[in-house]
């Protein structure tokens, strides 16, 4: 596994409320044995997420697979509309890895769609879910801080 | 016909940061041609080399995926909402 680059000075810290954290992890557990996914919405300043999260939106995995996910486009559209109504934007996406680490796979890196987004990985391979956040830009993975309060 | 086109964050930089824009056209393809004429930077993200919809993009007319309608030939009526969605995907592989 390649080492994550040290966080750039401007890298945001993902700030989740305890409730948001629980929604994400519960959705990942509910999705078993398949991977689960969802969207994060919040403010962007100058095209970059601030790390603040206004909403977490569980989505269906259109692939219904333990190895891949595709966010169901209708659910993505709903998240975009909700974000727009709040003056927010899509700031990231989360998905689970059921049997591997909370680290972007080569597939995740190759398919990373937006360099501004925060990519949240939830590993369920051990009893206790592990949640970590990254930025994926030009195929370079940068780990971001996560604060849950 | 004037439609509202909802842009994904990735395309907003090409449209001066707007989250949606108004565009004219009788079909989704025509609406996109109008968009590309105004914002040439969007071309590579919307239309593939084969002239069809880029495979990493999903487009909805109101609540329907145009792939299951008439693709870029899908008719547009006044007031329709055309949403451009990135294909968000990945996984452990």
């Amino acid at each position: 596994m390649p080492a994550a680059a040290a966080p750039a000075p401007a890298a945001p810290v993902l700030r989740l409320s305890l409730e948001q954290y629980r929604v994400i992890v519960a959705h990942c557990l509910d999705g078993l044995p398949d991977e689960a996914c969802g969207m994060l919405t919040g403010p962007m300043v100058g095209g970059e997420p601030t790390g603040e999260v206004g909403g977490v939106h569980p989505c269906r995995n259109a692939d219904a697979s333990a190895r891949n996910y595709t966010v169901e486009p209708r659910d993505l559209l709903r998240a975009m509309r909700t974000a727009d109504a709040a003056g927010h934007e899509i700031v990231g996406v989360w998905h689970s890895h059921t049997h591997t680490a909370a680290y972007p796979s080569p597939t995740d890196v190759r398919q990373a769609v937006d360099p501004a987004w925060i990519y949240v990985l939830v590993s369920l391979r051990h009893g206790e879910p592990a949640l970590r956040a990254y930025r994926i830009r030009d195929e370079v993975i940068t780990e971001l801080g996560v604060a849950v309060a | 016909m004037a439609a509202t086109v909802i842009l994904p964050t990735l395309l907003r930089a090409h449209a001066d940061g707007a989250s949606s824009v108004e565009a004219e056209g009788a079909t989704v393809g025509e609406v996109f041609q109008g968009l590309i004429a105004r914002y040439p930077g969007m071309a590579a993200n919307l239309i593939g080399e084969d002239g069809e919809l880029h495979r990493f993009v999903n487009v909805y007319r109101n609540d329907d995926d145009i792939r299951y309608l008439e693709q870029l030939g899908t008719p547009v009526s006044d007031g329709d909402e055309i949403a451009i969605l990135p294909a968000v995907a990945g996984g452990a592989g």
Side-chain angles (χ1 to χ4, degrees), chain A residues 74-125:
Chain A
R74 276 195 179 74
D75 296 349
L76 172 59
L77 184 54
R78 193 177 313 125
M80 281 172 71
R81 285 175 174 155
T82 305
D84 218 38
H88 286 169
E89 297 191 31
I90 300 287
V91 295
V93 57
W94 84 74
H95 76 280
S96 58
H97 282 176
T98 59
H99 291 93
T100 56
Y103 191 84
S105 70
T107 308
D108 292 330
V109 173
R110 205 168 49 243
Q111 302 201 31
V113 70
D114 194 321
W117 283 4
I118 297 171
Y119 292 84
V120 173
L121 276 291
V122 179
S123 172
L124 302 174
R125 72 170 165 173

Side-chain angles (χ1 to χ4, degrees), chain A residues 3 7 12 22 28 52 61 97 106 108 122 129-130 139:
Chain A
R22 284 177 174 152
C28 290
E52 188 188 327
N61 176 0
H97 282 176
D108 292 330
V122 179
E139 304 207 346

Side-chain angles (χ1 to χ4, degrees), chain A residues 35 67-74 76-77 80-81 84 89-90 93 95 97 100 105 107-108 111 113-115 117, chain B residues 6-10 12 17 19-20 56 58 60 62-65 81 83-93:
Chain A
E35 291 194 0
R67 305 181 66 84
N68 295 297
Y69 79 96
T70 296
V71 173
E72 165 60 41
R74 276 195 179 74
L76 172 59
L77 184 54
M80 281 172 71
R81 285 175 174 155
D84 218 38
E89 297 191 31
I90 300 287
V93 57
H95 76 280
H97 282 176
T100 56
S105 70
T107 308
D108 292 330
Q111 302 201 31
V113 70
D114 194 321
W117 283 4
Chain B
I6 310 289
L7 302 173
T9 47
L10 200 58
R12 293 178 189 179
S19 61
S20 65
F56 295 122
N58 295 302
Y60 276 67
N62 301 322
D63 285 315
D64 297 310
D65 188 337
E81 184 187 88
I84 302 170
L85 306 171
V88 183

